Amino acid sequence: MFDAVRNGRSAYNDEQRRAWVPERRYGTEWSGRLDGQIIVVGESDSGVVGFMSLAEGGYIDFAYIRPQAQGQGLFRKLFAEIEKQNRSRDDARLWVHASIMAEPAFTAMGFAIVEKQTVSIGAEHFVRFKMELNR
């Protein structure tokens, strides 16, 4: 997540990226956030190159691809597994808060923008999109 946000190409400026992910996430608080979510991980010979997570209610909480793995179809592969897991839960809804950078990838998977939003972290403001999968 840190690498994707802080080092990947972005429509967000450096101050926004630092506010969004000020440091690498780890420890009990991070583990607690992920507990109960289905996490799908993409790996290569160099290690983890991306992940996507599915929370209750069909919410895609995290979707990050490291810069060196972007544009290689990993997002599509991770999403296919998330969608499969969501269907196995018999959950009719899949939705996400997508960043400016993630919106095109989710649109390509069949999601539609429900609402454009502006959120704040500290003094920084971010545009994002509430999106839902059209089935």
Side-chain angles (χ1 to χ4, degrees), residues 16 19-20 25 28 32-33 35 44-45 52 56 58 63 108 130-131 133:
Q16 288 172 313
W20 182 356
R25 296 185 178 174
T28 56
R33 172 97 185 251
D35 280 350
S44 73
D45 292 341
M52 197 175 287
E56 290 296 320
K130 181 178 180 181
M131 302 181 77
L133 182 63

Side-chain angles (χ1 to χ4, degrees), residues 30-39 53-59 61 89:
W30 178 242
S31 296
R33 172 97 185 251
L34 297 174
D35 280 350
Q37 294 193 37
I38 295 170
I39 302 167
S53 73
L54 179 65
E56 290 296 320
Y59 181 64
D61 196 10
R89 287 181 169 181

Side-chain angles (χ1 to χ4, degrees), residues 11 19 35 59 64-65 84 90 105 114 117 125 127-128:
D35 280 350
Y59 181 64
Y64 293 95
I65 309 295
K84 178 181 163 187
D90 203 26
V114 174
Q117 301 174 330
H125 306 287
V127 171
R128 71 176 186 189

